[in-house]
Amino acid sequence: MPATKNTTPLIKWLFYMADSNLILSQRNSEWCGHGPVLEQDIALTNMALDQLGQARAYYQYIAHLLNQDVQSPEQYTNEDELAFLRDNRAFHNLLLCELPNGDWAQTIAKLFFFSHYQYQLLNMLTQHEDDTIRAIAIKSLKEVTYHVRWSSEWVIRLGDGTEESKTRMNNAIHYLLPYLSELFNPADYELSLKAYDIESLKEKYIAAIEDVLEKAELPIPVSFHINLIQQKGGKQGLHTEHIGFILAEMQYMQRTYPNMEW
Amino acid sequence: MVNPSTISKDELSILLEQIHDPEIPVLTIQDLGMVRDVSWVNDHWKIVITPTYTACPAVDAILEDIGTLLNQQNIPHQLEVTLSPAWTTDWMTQQARQKLKAYGIAPPVEQSDHVCGIQLFQKEVTVHCPQCNSDQTSLLSSFGSTACKALYKCNHCLETFDYFKCH
Ligand SMILES: [Zn+2]
């Protein structure tokens, strides 16, 4: 088992970043072979791959940090252990990332809300004092830029499409809305790291989201500003019932055949 | 067998030209700009590689290929992967772009700063069809068969083709 006790705020935060990417990657890859048309199936699985790559970069850094403190080589951990052998309470991903894909609109909306958040956050992290975090941020930002454009264009296409697509897009946004407050509800490790200003992050995020919703001719939800309903816990390891199913599928091979390799 | 003290940096660079990207075999890792540094450190060559994308599945294969090649030649070495500075298509050589086109993949036409904006529904750049050279082409999807490619269609010869997108 990975030695994840006594972890520092930095390591907890790295898990937050890694796990959010890994879990959404796992969700998005569920579309592989099921997309509405081939090009969009490929697009979504490409983005799932980007998210997996970004998750790996964080897990590798966590493993590097944890391994600095171990006494003997058999205690060394690695990215695979961190992804495949931790239990759901150890996962710090946003609840948003673990929610079911639902229909196409809901899948789009999840990626839309997450990638805009990443875009603003990574932009801030490109100035971070830690060389590795800065490098990951600069590298990931280029990939996330494509995700932001792709998902936003879909929100507009569906919102400004037919009655049916508009209704579905609107429903998806309202279904996910309660999970957005978690983005800006700082966890203790975020507060102690002081790596970014959450208030200014929130301001930029809402402006970007509202801009797209306006172009999509979708109503802008009031709860953006007043946080009527709040869902939280993911950042602290308290999840929805969905996480267990995701981990069961994702971790099956490594748990059934420990240390297996392709 | 090569005596480690006698191989020069230039010779090592030429040797590394034998390493190809497994996904686009027509290109070497030098063509792509993936080799960031080659330097002699104490008693071995240190070679620094950068991935094209964070999830670039070719990196592990490339590291293995370099290791095998250098071991065969008895060249002491250490391989390192770095994410910084982030890889960009701007580093692709002119020769690489010509090879890509001849291989049937349209080479990147813009500077990478283009992709860093989030303006939506951007005007499509004019990409010439690698088959018939027509500029009457249209974007089918900004995501293609691998992370580095977009999918285009030629409206003249009606073939679809890969575009190595700016990054
Ligand atoms: Zn053509």
Side-chain angles (χ1 to χ4, degrees):
Chain A
M1 265 305 155
T4 50
K5 54 180 191 292
N6 304 326
T7 50
T8 61
L10 173 62
I11 288 176
K12 286 183 184 166
W13 176 81
L14 289 167
F15 271 125
Y16 164 58
M17 299 296 283
D19 295 341
S20 294
N21 272 296
L22 180 67
I23 296 298
L24 190 57
S25 168
Q26 181 73 10
R27 275 295 190 213
N28 284 333
S29 63
E30 288 174 16
W31 275 101
C32 184
H34 301 274
V37 287
L38 188 58
E39 286 79 9
Q40 301 309 331
D41 186 303
I42 291 173
L44 205 44
T45 41
N46 259 292
M47 287 181 270
L49 183 63
D50 288 341
Q51 288 159 347
L52 182 66
Q54 292 169 28
R56 283 189 66 184
Y58 294 112
Y59 286 130
Q60 285 165 2
Y61 189 35
I62 297 169
H64 167 79
L65 294 172
L66 290 175
N67 290 343
Q68 286 178 337
D69 295 329
V70 303
Q71 314 299 329
S72 65
E74 56 266 29
Q75 289 176 306
Y76 281 141
T77 188
N78 59 40
E79 53 178 325
D80 288 332
E81 272 193 11
L82 297 176
F84 296 131
L85 297 180
R86 283 181 306 131
D87 293 321
N88 68 56
R89 288 293 299 267
F91 272 74
H92 287 175
N93 62 280
L94 289 164
L95 297 179
L96 176 71
C97 299
E98 70 195 45
L99 296 174
N101 285 337
D103 59 8
W104 186 247
Q106 192 170 309
T107 303
I108 297 292
K110 258 196 299 177
L111 185 61
F112 170 65
F113 285 134
F114 182 65
S115 61
H116 271 277
Y117 172 70
Q118 274 188 304
Y119 184 83
Q120 299 299 343
L121 178 56
L122 293 172
N123 242 319
M124 291 181 168
L125 295 175
T126 58
Q127 311 292 325
H128 200 272
E129 57 186 15
D130 182 305
D131 291 343
T132 308
I133 293 175
R134 201 170 57 244
I136 298 174
I138 293 170
K139 183 90 189 150
S140 311
L141 191 57
K142 291 190 191 216
E143 298 169 0
V144 167
T145 301
Y146 276 100
H147 306 183
V148 166
R149 290 215 300 260
W150 184 86
S151 60
S152 303
E153 287 172 5
W154 265 106
V155 167
I156 295 170
R157 204 171 282 131
L158 294 177
D160 193 18
T162 63
E163 268 317 300
E164 170 83 10
S165 70
K166 192 184 196 68
T167 306
R168 286 191 183 224
M169 199 63 242
N170 209 20
N171 288 348
I173 286 169
H174 281 86
Y175 169 69
L176 297 177
L177 218 48
Y179 297 91
L180 296 187
S181 54
E182 190 183 16
L183 305 182
F184 308 107
N185 219 325
D188 54 354
Y189 47 85
E190 281 178 289
L191 290 174
S192 50
L193 277 181
K194 296 190 182 73
Y196 41 88
D197 175 17
I198 295 208
E199 275 315 305
S200 114
L201 183 63
K202 182 175 178 180
E203 214 169 280
K204 288 180 176 147
Y205 179 79
I206 289 179
I209 294 288
E210 286 188 345
D211 181 51
V212 177
L213 294 184
E214 227 165 82
K215 290 194 175 89
E217 299 191 13
L218 288 164
I220 291 168
V222 278
S223 51
F224 262 173
H225 297 288
I226 48 178
N227 283 340
L228 283 176
I229 336 157
Q230 299 200 354
Q231 295 285 356
K232 56 181 181 182
K235 285 179 175 178
Q236 289 81 17
L238 301 171
H239 294 274
T240 66
E241 70 272 27
H242 305 293
I243 190 84
F245 296 96
I246 298 175
L247 295 186
E249 188 180 24
M250 186 179 79
Q251 300 183 331
Y252 167 80
M253 284 296 261
Q254 202 48 250
R255 288 189 184 267
T256 310
Y257 304 100
N259 305 318
M260 67 143 320
E261 283 181 40
W262 290 109
Chain B
M1 209 221 268
V2 182
N3 180 338
S5 57
T6 60
I7 187 164
S8 70
K9 188 171 166 173
D10 287 348
E11 285 165 338
L12 184 57
S13 294
I14 291 169
L15 199 58
L16 288 177
E17 278 170 24
Q18 294 180 23
I19 308 291
H20 293 256
D21 179 340
E23 289 186 333
I24 312 167
V26 72
L27 295 184
T28 69
I29 53 175
Q30 324 271 67
D31 287 334
L32 280 161
M34 290 175 78
V35 181
R36 297 321 298 158
D37 191 37
V38 174
S39 54
W40 179 257
V41 183
N42 301 323
D43 53 359
H44 63 269
W45 288 100
K46 188 172 109 176
I47 299 168
V48 182
I49 301 288
T50 195
T52 51
Y53 283 70
T54 55
C56 175
V59 170
D60 290 338
I62 288 169
L63 292 176
E64 217 176 293
D65 289 350
I66 300 175
T68 308
L69 177 71
L70 299 187
N71 284 335
Q72 277 167 359
Q73 311 262 341
N74 280 333
I75 299 169
H77 62 275
Q78 179 210 342
L79 304 178
E80 206 179 287
V81 178
T82 181
L83 291 182
S84 177
W87 178 84
T88 160
T89 39
D90 299 347
W91 294 344
M92 285 172 69
T93 61
Q94 210 43 49
Q95 191 196 1
R97 289 162 202 261
Q98 283 160 4
K99 282 201 234 172
L100 263 186
K101 191 167 181 186
Y103 188 64
I105 299 175
V109 291
E110 316 146 274
Q111 289 291 303
S112 64
D113 49 13
H114 182 87
V115 298
C116 293
I118 50 167
Q119 310 88 310
L120 306 178
F121 299 108
Q122 295 179 2
K123 195 175 158 294
E124 285 170 30
V125 292
T126 307
V127 176
H128 289 260
C129 169
Q131 308 295 341
C132 73
N133 218 25
S134 165
D135 61 0
Q136 299 302 303
T137 60
S138 45
L139 175 73
L140 288 180
S141 172
S142 17
F143 298 91
S145 54
T146 64
C148 54
K149 294 177 211 135
L151 193 62
Y152 270 74
K153 183 185 169 187
C154 175
N155 299 318
H156 182 249
C157 73
L158 304 180
E159 287 289 328
T160 54
F161 63 90
D162 279 331
Y163 169 55
F164 202 111
K165 65 190 177 198
C166 296
H167 199 70

